[in-house]
Amino acid sequence: GSNGCVGSHVDPLMHYDARGKLIGHMGADLFAFPHGIHVDSEGNVWVTDPLPPDGRGAGGNVGQQVTKLSPTGEILLQIGTRKIAGSGTNQFSSPSDVVVGRNGDIFVADGHGAGTSERIMKFDKDGHFIKMWGKPGNGPCGTGEFSSLHALAIDSRGRLFVGDRDNNRIQLYDQDGNYLECWYQFSRPSGIFIDADDN
């Protein structure tokens, strides 16, 4: 819910089959504000856990991390320094979404509104920092400025789609951070899903 998970011991991640039947749940006591979720090609579940700038979730002992869980809920990897907001290479500032590329590289949309870093961070499959790009702002596409990063997806060509929500656009990059193009037709993009046919 909008008030996060701090103080609740209920599993926040629910797994349903294609008919809507609940078949599993997990994640109790692991997140302050589970926000972005991605299931990789091996069925692992990735979750971003921001601590929003308004302080929601600050009373707990979690937040400001990206967690990789096995399909059964075992913690496999955590990136970021728990509860510490920052701009370093192992720190996040309200990470909003995560996506994993074919080679295992991890992309994190780090930023969720005023006062956050508003950058894309790239890590290798083991969580080691590779590079980052972006900064807060509403400059033209291609200048690396984002406002309320809110969604990531990768298409079959390997293009990284970035939901730049408050700037009312989707910016496309290659996986090395080179700007490709910009889409304006979706207003405030809060989520992106690309199917096997690139729809």
Side-chain angles (χ1 to χ4, degrees), residues 2-197:
S2 62
N3 291 321
C5 292
V6 170
S8 170
H9 303 292
V10 175
D11 285 329
L13 305 178
M14 314 304 282
H15 184 191
Y16 295 87
D17 69 13
R19 296 179 182 216
K21 179 184 176 188
L22 180 66
I23 57 176
H25 47 86
M26 61 185 172
D29 301 311
L30 292 182
F31 309 108
F33 191 68
H35 191 275
I37 189 168
H38 169 69
V39 180
D40 68 21
S41 61
E42 299 173 350
N44 300 304
V45 181
W46 296 76
V47 182
T48 61
D49 187 20
L51 282 177
D54 65 9
R56 283 177 290 172
N61 191 35
V62 289
Q64 301 295 26
Q65 290 186 296
V66 175
T67 299
K68 176 186 181 182
L69 300 167
S70 74
T72 57
E74 175 190 359
I75 297 174
L76 301 178
L77 178 68
Q78 287 188 303
I79 309 171
T81 306
R82 182 176 294 171
K83 287 195 71 177
I84 302 298
S87 58
T89 58
N90 193 39
Q91 294 175 322
F92 293 119
S93 173
S94 289
S96 60
D97 205 5
V98 58
V99 70
V100 178
R102 277 193 186 149
N103 68 350
D105 284 347
I106 304 156
F107 295 88
V108 178
D110 183 36
H112 192 250
T116 64
S117 293
E118 304 288 5
R119 61 187 175 166
I120 303 297
M121 298 183 72
K122 180 180 180 180
F123 302 87
D124 71 14
K125 64 181 177 56
D126 299 313
H128 299 116
F129 175 79
I130 297 175
K131 71 185 308 179
M132 61 184 157
W133 68 91
K135 61 186 177 184
N138 57 7
C141 280
T143 60
E145 295 189 9
F146 304 107
S147 182
S148 269
L149 283 169
H150 216 272
L152 293 178
I154 297 174
D155 71 2
S156 69
R157 292 159 53 185
R159 296 181 301 174
L160 180 66
F161 287 64
V162 179
D164 187 6
R165 187 171 75 167
D166 286 350
N167 285 329
N168 296 303
R169 62 195 182 192
I170 294 174
Q171 297 196 51
L172 279 66
Y173 290 83
D174 70 17
Q175 292 187 24
D176 292 315
N178 298 304
Y179 171 74
L180 300 174
E181 61 179 305
C182 206
W183 294 2
Y184 288 98
Q185 65 264 47
F186 298 112
S187 186
R188 288 167 50 85
S190 293
I192 302 172
F193 177 79
I194 301 172
D195 72 11
D197 298 319

